[in-house]
C-alpha cells in the first residue's frame, strides 16, 4: 500500500464531471488545484531511538533481517488510514513513526519480542494491515524508550480447516484476499468483507470487532470467533474452540476487540460457510429513509434479512446518483421517470444481497422481496445491486482523490436500538452540519444503515466539506460534535471501526469508569510493563 | 419449593411398573423400601454466627423484616438442587446453611447489603431460584465471619419493554413463569425454557449462561443479553443496551456467567420475540445416534434447524419408551412394528419443535423435514412431540421419586465441535459406565443431543445406578471420571449448567491459568474483600 493513501500506485480513480460540479456548487470547493502529498524523502522522521540492547534482543528473537528501520518501512508504519492520518502523512508529518519494524514469524517469536520490549520498556504496536481509521496503529511512545511496530505479515498460515464443523484456524497476519483464496481452495468462505478487505488482516478484524459488509448474513467477526490465541508479555490466553460453553465469563470476548492493548492476537479459529454458488444483489427504492428503515426492521425481525442489507438516506442517494451519473443513458432516465411517477423522486436507494445455493437464494429473495414491497419498496432489479458490488471497496480510493482536491472526507459509524435510531440519525446529522458550518465550511452529511440486528441497526455517516486552513482542527471539531451527539442519543461510540485513539475520550461514557477499570485490570495482568499499544482504547 | 427436593408438596410423580421392572432388572435396585427425607426438625443446622453489628447493618440496609434466620429459611437456602445437595439435605445435613437470608428490594439495597458484608467480612451468596445443580448456591464461609444468602425474589419488576426493538429490561429475581406472564401481556416471549424454568430466575439464567430447551431457535441466554447491570461491593458495571458495538472488549460477557463471584446481577435487558401463534412439535426416528447426529449437523448447517431439536441415543430412547410404555396401546404397538420393518428397531427418537406464525412454522417444518428424511429419518408425527412438550419440566420431579427409591440419578452436559462429538460421546459414556461398575453398582448411561450450533452441538448425559453405601463418594467418582473424559476429548466442562463448585477443578483445563488470573483480576477490582460467593467458579 502506498505510504500516503490507499491502494497501490496506478489505482487512482477520477471523479466524473457531475460529481465535481456537485462538490463545487454545494461545498464551495475550488477543485482547480491538486494538493499532492510531499515526496517520501521530504517526510519529517525523527531519528530512531531504539536502545541498542533492545534492538539486539529483538534481532535475536525474530532474526536480524526481520528488524528494519529504513525510511519507507518506518513511514509505512507511522499511522493508520484515517483522515487525520492521511492529512498528516501527505503534509510530510511522520513524527510518530516507530523506531523499527519487527516482523516475527511465529507465536513463539512474538512472545520473545514482547519479553524483550517489556524489559527494555519499548512500546509495541501490533500491526496487521495498518488500515485503522481511528488511530489504532499510530505509535504513542511518550514515556517509553522507543516504539516498534510488530508487523504480523509473516504469520500468514492456515493452521487447520475442519470441514465437518465448518471452522478454520487462521494466523493473524493473513490478508483478506489471501485468507479467502486459501479457504476457497477447500470450498469455504469466511464471508467477512469490510471495506478495507483488500488490505486488512484476520488479526486486525478480531482485534477491532470488525463487521463486514455482509455481516447481516455471515455475522460480525465477534460472531465468528470460536477460539482465539493471544500472546501477551506476561502469558498467553488460549480459548479452546467450542461452539458454546457455560464455563464462566467468556474470555474470548475480552480478547476480541482488545486492539493490541492486552497482547497480540496470533491466531483465531473462525466459523466459515460453504462458498456460495450464487450471489444475487438487487436495488430497491423507498420514498423516505424513515419508511425504508421501518421496512428493514420488519424484515430483520421476521428473520428474513438478506446477507447484505444497506440503505442510503435521501442525501446519500442523491450524491451517489450524481457520482454515478456520468454515463446515465436513456434507460436510467426512464427509470428515474418511473420512480418520480410512483412518488419516489428524491427517495432512498437500498441494496439487498443474497449468497448461497440457487434454491436457498431464491427462497429467501422472494420472502424478503414480499416484505420490502409490503413496506413501500419498489424493486429496481439487479443493476444497482451489481453496481454496488463492483464498487464495494472503492471508498478509500475515492477518498485519496478527494484529499487531492483539498476536501475533508470522513466516515463514522454507530448503532442503537430501533426505537432510538431516528433520534440518533437526526442528532448526529445535525451535529456534523452545525460543526462544519461553524468552521466556515458547510458540508454534506450522508448516511446509510448497513448492519441489521433484531434489536437495532448501525448508522454509517460520511461527511464532506472544503478543507479549512486548519484541517485537523476542523476534523476534530466535527468528530467531537458527532461523538457527543452519539453518546447523548444512546448510540455506541463505534459499531465496527473500534476505539483506537479517536474514541478514547468517549469510553467512560460507553463502558463506565468501573468498566474501564476491568479492562485495566486485565491489562495489568497481561502487560504489567504497560508496553502494549499505549494510548489506545483506554484513557490514560 | 420443598426444602428437600423439587416442586411443591403434592406434585409427586409415580413410576409405571415397566419402569420399575427395568430399574430392578438392569440396576439390581431393591425398590421395595422408601428412603424418605428426614423431618425438617431433624435437620442438623449450625447455630447462626452472624455478628450482631453486621446483622444490624443488614437490617438497616434492607429492612428488619427482610433479614430472617428461621429454620425453614436457612434450610431452604442451604444448597441448590444437584444430586449431592439432595442426598445431603434428605439425610438431614444442612451444615453449610447460611446464617441468615437477606432479601433486598432494590439495586440500592443490594449495594448497601454488599457494603455491610464487605466491611464485616461476611460471605454473600446471590440466590435466585436456588436451582443450581453444580453447587452454585451452597454457602462456603470458611475464613469469613458468617454467610448470608442474598435472596433476590423481591427484585421482580419488568422495568421496560421496547416493542419496536424487541427488548425487555427485567429484574433479576423474576421467576420464569412470572417473567413469561408479564412479557406475554405485551405480546412477547423470551423463549427461554430450561428444565428448571418453573423455579429459576432471570438473574440466575444470566449468571450461569443458561441455555433453554428451545435455544436452537431462541438462542442461549448469552445470545439474548443486550444490556446488564451488575452491582458489586466496589462499584457497578452497567452495559448500556446496544445491538452491537466495536468499543473494546465486551464486558457483558464478563458479567454473563459470573455466577455471583463478581457481584449481583440486578437487572438485564434481554432480546424477546413475539409470542408464537403456533407451536408444532413432532417426533422422528433414526436408525442410530450417529446417523441422526449427522442429519442434525446437515440440517443445522443449512440454517434449517427447528427451535427445539433433540435426539436421544439408542439407550435413552429404549429407557424412555419403557418409562412411557405403561399405557402402550394398539396404535403404539403398530407404530413400533412399522419402525422394525424399516430397520429402525432399537433406533433413536428425535424431537423437533417449531414456534412462530402459521406460515413461518409450515415453511420451516417442510424444509427441515425434507433434510431429516434425506438423512435417514422417519417422521413419527405430532404425538411424540407433544408428549415431550408435556413432560419438558418433569426431570427433577422424577429424580425425587428415584431418590426415594434409593437410586443415584444425575445429569451432566458438555459441547464440542461436530468433528469431536463422536469421540466425546464414546469417552464420556465409557468413563461413566466404568466408574459406576467400579463402585459395584453398574449403571445406565443415557445421552441426548439437544442444542445445535453450526460448529457443533451439546451432549447431555443422564446416569442411573443403585446407590452405594457411600452415595456421595460413588457420585463424586462418576462425576470426576466424566469430567476428565470431557476435558481429554476436547469438550467444554459445562454447556449450560455452569461451574459452581462441582466443575471448579476443571477450570484450569477449560480456560488456562492465565484465563483464571483474568477472572481473578476482575474479582479483585469488584470485590476486594472477596466476599462474593466464595469457592465457586474460581479455584482458590
Amino acid at each position: 500500500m502506498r505510504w500516503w493513501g490507499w491502494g497501490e500506485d496506478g489505482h487512482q480513480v477520477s471523479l466524473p464531471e457531475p460529481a465535481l460540479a456537485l462538490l463545487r456548487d454545494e461545498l464551495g470547493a475550488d477543485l482547480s488545484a491538486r494538493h499532492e502529498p510531499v515526496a517520501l524523502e521530504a517526510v519529517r522522521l525523527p531519528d530512531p531511538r531504539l536502545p541498542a540492547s533492545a534492538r539486539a534482543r529483538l534481532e535475536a528473537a525474530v532474526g536480524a533481517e526481520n528488524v528494519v528501520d529504513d525510511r519507507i518501512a518506518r513511514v509505512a508504519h507511522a499511522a493508520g488510514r484515517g483522515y487525520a492520518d492521511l492529512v498528516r502523512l501527505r503534509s510530510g508529518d511522520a513524527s510518530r513513526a516507530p523506531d523499527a519494524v519487527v516482523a516475527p514469524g511465529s507465536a513463539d517469536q512474538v512472545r520473545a519480542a514482547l519479553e524483550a520490549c517489556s524489559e527494555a520498556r519499548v512500546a509495541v504496536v501490533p500491526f496487521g494491515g495498518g488500515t485503522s481509521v481511528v488511530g489504532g496503529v499510530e505509535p504513542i511512545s511518550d514515556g517509553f524508550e522507543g516504539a516498534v511496530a510488530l508487523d504480523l505479515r509473516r504469520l500468514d498460515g492456515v493452521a487447520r480447516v475442519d470441514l465437518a464443523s465448518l471452522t478454520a484456524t487462521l494466523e493473524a497476519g493473513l490478508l483478506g484476499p489471501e485468507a479467502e483464496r486459501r479457504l476457497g481452495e477447500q470450498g469455504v468462505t469466511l464471508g467477512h468483507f469490510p471495506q478495507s478487505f483488500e488490505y486488512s488482516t484476520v488479526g486486525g478484524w478480531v482485534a477491532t470487532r470488525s463487521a463486514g459488509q455482509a455481516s447481516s448474513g455471515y455475522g460480525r467477526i465477534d460472531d465468528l470467533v470460536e477460539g482465539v490465541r493471544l500472546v501477551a508479555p506476561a502469558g498467553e490466553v488460549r480459548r479452546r474452540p467450542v461452539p458454546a460453553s457455560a464455563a464462566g465469563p467468556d474470555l474470548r470476548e475480552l480478547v476480541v476487540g482488545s486492539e493490541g492493548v492486552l497482547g497480540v492476537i496470533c491466531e483465531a479459529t473462525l466459523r466459515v460457510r460453504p462458498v456460495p454458488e450464487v450471489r444475487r444483489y438487487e436495488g430497491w427504492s423507498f420514498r423516505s429513509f424513515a419508511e425504508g428503515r421501518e421496512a428493514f426492521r420488519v424484515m430483520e425481525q421476521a428473520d428474513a434479512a438478506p446477507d447484505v442489507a444497506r440503505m442510503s438516506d435521501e442525501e446519500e442517494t442523491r450524491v451517489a446518483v450524481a457520482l454515478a451519473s456520468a454515463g446515465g443513458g436513456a434507460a436510467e432516465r426512464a427509470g428515474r421517470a418511473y420512480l418520480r411517477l410512483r412518488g419516489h423522486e428524491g427517495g432512498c436507494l437500498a441494496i439487498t444481497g443474497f449468497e448461497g445455493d440457487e434454491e436457498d437464494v431464491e427462497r429467501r429473495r422472494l420472502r424478503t422481496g414480499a416484505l420490502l414491497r409490503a413496506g413501500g419498496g419498489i424493486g429496481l432489479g439487479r443493476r444497482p445491486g451489481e453496481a454496488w458490488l463492483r464498487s464495494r471497496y472503492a471508498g478509500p480510493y475515492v477518498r485519496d482523490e478527494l484529499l487531492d482536491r483539498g476536501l475533508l472526507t470522513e466516515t463514522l459509524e454507530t448503532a442503537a436500538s430501533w426505537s432510538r435510531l431516528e433520534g440518533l440519525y437526526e442528532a448526529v446529522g445535525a451535529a456534523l452540519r452545525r460543526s462544519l458550518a461553524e468552521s466556515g465550511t458547510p458540508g454534506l452529511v450522508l448516511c446509510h444503515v448497513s448492519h441489521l440486528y433484531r434489536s437495532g441497526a448501525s448508522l454509517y455517516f460520511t461527511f464532506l466539506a472544503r478543507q479549512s486552513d486548519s484541517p485537523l482542527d476542523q476534523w476534530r471539531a466535527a468528530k467531537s460534535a458527532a461523538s457527543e451527539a452519539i453518546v447523548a442519543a444512546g448510540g455506541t461510540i463505534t459499531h465496527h471501526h473500534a476505539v483506537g485513539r479517536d474514541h478514547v475520550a468517549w469510553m467512560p461514557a460507553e463502558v463506565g469508569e468501573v468498566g474501564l477499570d476491568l479492562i485495566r485490570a486485565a491489562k495489568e495482568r497481561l502487560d504489567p510493563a504497560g508496553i502494549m499499544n499505549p494510548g489506545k482504547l483506554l484513557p490514560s
Side-chain angles (χ1 to χ4, degrees), chain A:
Chain A
M1 187 150 52
R2 47 197 178 195
W3 63 267
W4 52 267
W6 197 258
E8 293 164 31
D9 283 340
H11 275 72
Q12 283 83 345
V13 298
S14 63
L15 294 169
E17 184 46 46
L20 296 173
L22 184 147
L23 298 171
R24 264 190 300 257
D25 294 350
E26 303 197 19
L27 303 182
D30 167 19
L31 305 173
S32 57
R34 284 261 169 200
H35 305 255
E36 306 272 354
V38 303
L40 179 60
E41 296 66 36
V43 172
R44 298 176 299 283
L45 203 54
D47 289 336
R49 60 180 183 120
L50 196 62
S53 60
R55 187 179 173 114
R57 279 201 59 186
L58 284 167
E59 288 183 355
V62 304
E65 69 281 18
N66 295 308
V67 180
V68 298
D69 60 3
D70 56 277
R71 170 165 283 262
I72 184 63
R74 291 180 64 210
V75 171
H77 292 79
R81 286 301 175 264
Y83 171 76
D85 297 325
L86 298 183
V87 166
R88 279 177 293 148
L89 285 175
R90 293 168 63 102
S91 74
D93 176 5
S95 54
R96 290 206 184 272
D99 299 298
V101 178
V102 178
S106 67
D108 284 344
Q109 291 192 3
V110 169
R111 183 181 311 103
L114 297 187
E115 283 168 5
C117 289
S118 278
E119 285 178 32
R121 283 198 48 76
V122 169
V124 176
V125 180
F127 195 101
T131 61
S132 170
V133 290
V134 292
V137 295
E138 178 181 311
I140 298 180
S141 59
D142 315 5
F144 293 87
E145 301 300 313
V148 298
L150 199 76
D151 191 310
L152 301 168
R153 81 182 86 110
R154 292 174 64 215
L155 296 181
D156 62 353
V158 173
R160 180 160 182 256
V161 177
D162 177 345
L163 291 175
S165 312
L166 290 177
T167 59
T169 304
L170 306 178
E171 286 191 337
L174 266 175
L175 286 163
E178 179 65 5
E180 280 297 327
R181 192 186 66 73
R182 300 279 297 276
L183 292 174
E185 286 171 357
Q186 306 218 34
V188 293
T189 175
L190 189 56
H192 190 73
F193 304 112
Q195 196 177 52
S196 62
F197 174 73
E198 299 162 283
Y199 294 99
S200 55
T201 59
V202 169
W205 301 337
V206 175
T208 59
R209 291 191 178 268
S210 166
Q213 291 167 340
S215 79
S216 291
Y218 290 93
R220 302 166 57 87
I221 203 76
D222 12 338
D223 299 322
L224 303 181
V225 176
E226 179 117 343
V228 68
R229 180 180 183 189
L230 176 93
V231 173
E236 197 168 303
V237 181
R238 247 184 137 141
R239 171 53 145 77
R240 50 200 329 215
V242 289
S245 173
D250 190 344
L251 298 173
R252 269 185 315 202
E253 297 288 342
L254 199 62
V255 171
V256 176
S258 58
E259 300 191 23
V261 309
L262 301 182
V264 179
I265 292 168
C266 286
E267 168 182 303
T269 299
L270 300 164
R271 294 163 187 152
V272 296
R273 291 183 173 249
V275 170
E277 291 169 16
V278 176
R279 289 192 172 83
R280 174 124 185 183
Y281 283 74
E282 296 178 327
W284 289 82
S285 171
F286 287 89
R287 257 175 300 259
S288 71
F289 197 40
E291 179 189 65
R293 283 200 315 271
E294 179 61 11
F296 267 24
R297 181 180 76 84
V298 170
M299 170 184 81
E300 169 69 24
Q301 292 182 347
D303 294 322
D307 298 313
V308 169
R310 334 170 33 95
M311 181 170 16
S312 296
D313 71 352
E314 293 85 350
E315 192 72 340
E316 186 169 283
T317 302
R318 182 178 71 86
V319 172
V321 167
L323 285 171
S325 64
E332 281 179 23
R333 282 196 299 276
R336 281 203 295 279
Y338 171 71
L339 289 176
R340 198 176 312 130
L341 209 63
R342 294 280 303 267
H344 280 231
E345 192 180 23
C348 293
L349 177 68
I351 302 293
T352 58
F354 297 88
E355 309 200 344
D357 65 36
E358 192 98 40
E359 183 202 326
D360 179 56
V361 164
E362 199 53 18
R363 188 188 53 246
R364 293 166 58 210
R365 195 180 73 81
L366 292 175
R367 185 152 177 258
T368 302
L371 286 167
L372 291 182
R373 266 187 296 277
I378 296 178
L380 303 178
R382 300 171 74 145
R383 211 158 145 174
E386 283 161 12
W388 176 81
L389 200 53
R390 277 194 304 276
S391 67
R392 68 191 299 182
Y393 306 130
Y397 298 93
V398 174
R399 182 178 55 172
D400 280 351
E401 175 67 10
L402 294 171
L403 279 162
D404 246 20
R405 301 292 193 139
L407 291 175
L408 159 65
T409 168
E410 173 65 309
T411 63
L412 55 87
E413 25 66 76
T414 178
S417 61
W418 290 108
S419 57
R420 290 177 185 273
L421 215 55
E422 171 74 23
L424 180 63
Y425 170 65
E426 296 294 344
V428 176
L432 284 169
R433 281 186 292 270
R434 191 165 49 237
S435 172
L436 293 171
E438 282 170 5
S439 292
T441 55
L444 280 168
V445 180
L446 324 175
C447 182
H448 61 253
V449 59
S450 54
H451 300 80
L452 309 186
Y453 307 90
R454 289 182 60 83
S455 57
S458 74
L459 293 176
Y460 188 98
F461 291 88
T462 301
F463 56 99
L464 295 158
R466 188 173 84 239
Q467 272 187 349
S468 77
D469 294 340
S470 307
L472 291 175
D473 292 337
Q474 173 196 29
W475 166 80
R476 208 170 286 114
K479 178 80 186 165
S480 290
S483 298
E484 295 296 335
I486 285 171
V487 165
T492 178
I493 193 64
T494 172
H495 170 265
H496 61 269
H497 282 171
V499 177
R501 195 197 43 210
D502 295 353
H503 294 137
V504 161
W506 292 277
M507 278 297 277
E510 184 80 21
V511 302
E513 284 300 338
V514 176
L516 288 170
D517 264 354
L518 290 172
I519 305 173
R520 287 193 192 102
K523 184 171 173 70
E524 283 163 20
R525 292 286 160 128
L526 295 171
D527 174 28
I531 58 164
M532 295 307 306
N533 215 4
K536 318 299 162 53
L537 185 61
L538 292 165
S540 49

